[in-house]
Amino acid sequence: MTHEDFMREAIALSFQNMEAGHGGPFGAVVVKDGEIIARGFNQVTSCCDPTAHAEMVAIRQAAASLQRFDLSGCVIYTSTEPCPMCLSAIYWAHLDAIYYANSREDAAAIGFDDLMLYREVCLDVSQRSMPMRRVLQDEAMSAFQAWQDKVDKVAY
C-alpha cells in the first residue's frame, strides 16, 4: 500500500464515524511494516472524553495490539494535522513519522481552534490564559527523588 492508500483509510474513518454521530471529522491509522495495526476516529462527544481524538484512540489501540508503549517502527496517518495534545502523544509514543491531510488552519476554518492551543503552549506559564499556580513543590519533589533512586523502574 502507498502513503495515499493509508491516508485514504484515515479520511474514510473521518467520514464514516462523523456521519455515524461518533464525533468530529477526524480519522487516523497506525502502520507498521506496511500494515495497518490500529484505527482511530474522533469519539470526543460519543464517549464524553475530551482526549478521545482519532490519533489518541489509534495510539492506544496500537500500543495494546503490540503490547508495548514504545511504538518505534510505526507511523501515523491522520486526516488532520495533530493538535498539540495528539502531537505530544505521538512524540511520547516514539512513532517514526506523521502524515496528515488537512492543516490546523483548515480545522480552525470549520470551528476547531487548535491554533489557540498552539499559541498557548509557546507562552511562558505566567502569560497563559489559564491560570497556573505552583503548589507544594518540595513535597512533590520527594516522589521524583524516589523515582530517581528506584532500581527496578521501567524507563520511558
Side-chain angles (χ1 to χ4, degrees):
M1 291 181 72
T2 67
H3 294 301
E4 291 78 11
D5 293 328
F6 293 127
M7 186 59 72
R8 283 187 186 98
E9 178 67 18
I11 293 167
L13 285 167
S14 74
F15 267 110
Q16 293 162 1
N17 294 288
M18 179 237 347
E19 290 186 350
H22 295 296
F26 306 101
V29 296
V30 175
V31 174
K32 180 174 179 9
D33 300 327
E35 298 289 328
I36 296 174
I37 62 162
R39 290 173 170 78
F41 55 88
N42 185 283
Q43 299 173 50
V44 170
T45 57
S46 60
C47 291
C48 296
D49 179 353
T51 69
H53 290 197
E55 299 91 338
M56 300 294 284
V57 172
I59 288 168
R60 290 172 185 147
Q61 190 180 100
S65 173
L66 296 175
Q67 289 295 291
R68 62 181 212 231
F69 54 81
D70 184 326
L71 299 179
S72 298
C74 299
V75 297
I76 191 165
Y77 292 81
T78 179
S79 63
T80 305
E81 181 179 2
C83 74
M85 174 185 67
C86 294
L87 181 62
S88 297
I90 290 165
Y91 273 96
W92 280 120
H94 302 285
L95 290 157
D96 293 352
I98 302 166
Y99 296 88
Y100 68 95
N102 294 321
S103 71
R104 64 179 92 164
E105 291 83 9
D106 298 330
I110 63 165
F112 294 94
D113 198 7
D114 298 1
L115 290 172
M116 179 277 294
L117 296 171
Y118 273 102
R119 285 190 298 271
E120 283 282 312
V121 297
C122 293
L123 295 174
D124 182 77
V125 170
S126 64
Q127 296 177 340
R128 293 186 181 152
S129 63
M130 182 176 291
M132 293 180 66
R133 307 286 186 266
R134 198 167 186 184
V135 179
L136 296 178
Q137 175 193 3
D138 292 340
E139 288 183 37
M141 196 55 78
S142 63
F144 275 17
Q145 186 61 52
W147 173 258
Q148 187 174 13
D149 297 342
K150 186 173 173 59
V151 246
D152 61 343
K153 65 184 165 207
V154 177
Y156 57 96

